[in-house]
Amino acid sequence: MKKILVPFDFSALSMSALRFAIELAEAAGGEVIALHVVNMTPVYLESLDPTGYAIGSASILSELGREATTNFARVRSELKTRLEPGFRVEQGLLHQIIIKTIHETGADLVVMGTNGSGGLAEVIVGSNTEKVVRTAPVPVISIHKNQKLSQIRNIVFPTTIDLQQHRFIWQIRALQSFLGAHLHLLYVKTPDSRDTDQALTHMLSDLAEYYALTEYSVHVTHAPNEEKGVLKFAARMPGSMIAMATHGYTGLTHLVLGSVAENVINHTHEAVWTYKLSEHV
């Protein structure tokens, strides 16, 4: 958590994400970069030439950048923190620019504000947060409200009985150590599960021992599906952080299989830390 990237659009949600990121950076001795992305939609264009390219779009982008920089200077003055976040303005599609900026800056964490989504938009398009969670090469923390780092004392860790997730568990252990939090290993038992609660509890304990986890407890909860089980358990522990893996499915595969992590982000009120497994084991 030495370099934290925060997508920032001056909304209340992005302010919450910025404050949370600053808390993290202060505790970790790191830095924060606020990223403002301008999408050049027709409302900003002066006119179009016959080829379809905007006339004056460069000057519009420059003006929007100056305006955003001026506004962020006021935000800095209101933060009342010794850590001064950096600020950069880019043009393009938000989730694509975020991924590009992660690589350019060497960011090792993204903190995003999200209000979730629902209905048809959730199925067809998904939120920008979902797209970043699905494709980011670094962990992403999704913030839903004005949460404070100091309030997080528990990590809800939904897991399968998998002994091939060493790098992911290493990340979980690092997160737990940083937060000084108690780790709750959670197995969601769905109707198609044939193992008893006792057997699952033993397997979770063996998993924790295999990965040398400390300060943890194991839980088995019953639910129609994984998402509902995670949400039900986390609702009993307000102020916690949910830590989940995502497989980074895209395109048709994502529409068919979905992502439990992304669905949880859309429907919980807790902070959610995610880490993409597609390139890591």
Side-chain angles (χ1 to χ4, degrees):
M1 302 185 191
K2 293 298 184 181
K3 187 170 289 188
I4 304 171
L5 184 66
V6 182
F8 191 82
D9 62 2
F10 296 95
S11 66
L13 275 171
S14 65
M15 278 298 303
S16 293
L18 181 62
R19 293 182 187 279
F20 191 91
I22 288 172
E23 277 193 272
L24 282 170
E26 287 179 334
E31 62 178 295
V32 174
I33 302 169
L35 171 66
H36 183 72
V37 179
V38 176
N39 189 358
M40 295 290 286
T41 56
V43 70
Y44 294 121
L45 303 183
E46 296 169 349
S47 63
L48 295 175
D49 70 10
T51 66
Y53 289 98
I55 298 174
S57 60
S59 64
I60 295 173
L61 178 60
S62 178
E63 177 59 31
L64 290 173
R66 285 194 295 270
E67 181 182 346
T69 301
T70 299
N71 290 338
F72 193 76
R74 288 196 289 267
V75 169
R76 277 199 190 104
S77 67
E78 297 169 0
L79 287 172
K80 298 178 181 178
T81 173
R82 67 180 185 275
L83 188 150
E84 186 171 298
F87 185 68
R88 59 190 285 167
V89 180
E90 302 286 350
Q91 188 271 327
L93 295 176
L94 180 60
H95 68 282
Q96 293 179 355
I97 296 298
I98 291 171
I99 301 304
K100 174 175 172 283
T101 306
I102 290 171
H103 291 291
E104 289 180 350
T105 63
D108 47 30
L109 176 69
V110 175
V111 177
M112 293 188 71
T114 179
N115 57 5
S117 60
L120 193 61
E122 180 179 326
V123 175
I124 295 178
V125 180
S127 68
N128 280 305
T129 304
E130 286 182 44
K131 295 174 185 176
V132 175
V133 164
R134 203 181 307 150
T135 57
V138 298
V140 177
I141 295 179
S142 303
I143 300 295
H144 293 262
K145 55 186 177 182
N146 193 24
Q147 293 165 314
K148 295 185 179 298
L149 180 67
S150 57
Q151 296 173 339
I152 297 176
R153 288 290 175 264
N154 295 282
I155 298 174
V156 177
F157 174 30
T159 185
T160 57
I161 313 301
D162 185 354
L163 302 182
Q164 300 299 321
Q165 49 184 338
H166 297 275
R167 186 163 183 176
F168 175 58
I169 295 293
W170 182 88
Q171 292 277 352
I172 292 286
R173 289 173 57 181
L175 178 68
Q176 179 190 15
S177 176
F178 177 79
L179 294 176
H182 185 84
L183 189 64
H184 297 265
L185 276 73
L186 174 67
Y187 187 94
V188 179
K189 184 177 179 181
T190 56
D192 59 351
S193 176
R194 296 293 178 261
D195 293 305
T196 66
D197 287 13
Q198 184 178 24
L200 289 168
T201 299
H202 283 308
M203 285 189 279
L204 285 173
S205 297
D206 290 343
L207 181 78
E209 183 176 350
Y210 177 79
Y211 286 115
L213 300 180
T214 59
E215 292 298 318
Y216 70 89
S217 53
V218 299
H219 311 267
V220 176
T221 189
H222 295 238
N225 55 54
E226 288 85 353
E227 174 197 333
K228 291 184 182 299
V230 174
L231 293 171
K232 179 179 73 172
F233 186 87
R236 301 201 302 264
M237 204 172 296
S240 59
M241 177 178 284
I242 303 171
M244 301 187 70
T246 181
H247 290 277
Y249 295 130
T250 59
L252 183 60
T253 302
H254 176 260
L255 291 177
V256 173
L257 298 178
S259 168
V260 175
E262 292 166 26
N263 291 338
V264 167
I265 289 170
N266 279 332
H267 299 106
T268 187
H269 296 293
E270 308 307 322
V272 183
W273 176 98
T274 52
Y275 187 67
K276 183 163 69 79
L277 288 181
S278 57
E279 299 174 1
H280 309 279
V281 293

